[in-house]
Amino acid sequence: KQCINAEYGGVYKPGHDAQMNQPSKNAIRNQKKRENKQDDEKWERGVTQKQAAPVTSGVDEKEKKIRNLKKKLFQVTKLKEQQKEGKELEKNQLEKIKTEGVLLAELKALELS
């Protein structure tokens, strides 16, 4: 449909629909962005208020440490595989491979306690 309006001298105006009188797609999209931004700000304020009193137990910290050690060990095994394939590793990657023994010892100690 073309909207020809005498008010504008009979010229077609994109996005102007005198019969429906609805906002344009861009106006709707911008409104949604504003609403989402306001929702995000409200959520962030709520989260920061709730974070003021964190509740952590020793078990959670222990499990977190175990997960972290397992992740590091997984990375070490990946680096070893890359090394076997002939890929040249960087200095920090080689140092990470050297820490495997320490990581295994820490993991055993945590799992036994």
Side-chain angles (χ1 to χ4, degrees):
K1 284 184 184 179
Q2 281 192 343
C3 178
I4 299 175
N5 194 333
E7 182 179 326
Y8 295 106
V11 178
Y12 172 72
K13 295 286 184 177
H16 183 269
D17 192 351
Q19 291 126 0
M20 299 179 93
N21 200 15
Q22 292 181 349
S24 68
K25 289 180 183 180
N26 284 336
I28 293 170
R29 188 178 69 228
N30 289 336
Q31 179 64 31
K32 286 181 182 178
K33 281 183 181 178
R34 282 191 294 273
E35 290 170 359
N36 287 337
K37 187 175 181 180
Q38 289 172 352
D39 290 343
D40 288 346
E41 289 171 355
K42 288 178 186 176
W43 184 82
E44 286 173 359
R45 282 189 299 243
V47 167
T48 54
Q49 290 171 356
K50 290 178 185 175
Q51 285 179 347
V55 178
T56 59
S57 64
V59 176
D60 293 335
E61 292 296 322
K62 180 180 172 183
E63 290 174 3
K64 191 175 179 180
K65 183 83 172 172
I66 289 173
R67 276 195 314 268
N68 190 16
L69 287 171
K70 286 183 178 180
K71 178 181 160 188
K72 288 180 181 180
L73 284 169
F74 178 75
Q75 291 171 345
V76 168
T77 56
K78 286 289 183 188
L79 288 173
K80 281 184 169 182
E81 288 174 11
Q82 290 176 358
Q83 195 175 31
K84 284 180 184 176
E85 292 172 358
K87 182 178 177 187
E88 193 171 321
L89 300 179
E90 295 180 15
K91 183 179 178 181
N92 62 338
Q93 292 173 321
L94 293 172
E95 290 173 4
K96 188 173 229 174
I97 290 175
K98 292 177 185 176
T99 63
E100 183 181 21
V102 176
L103 295 173
L104 286 170
E106 282 184 48
L107 184 62
K108 272 187 180 178
L110 280 173
E111 287 178 339
L112 293 176
S113 64

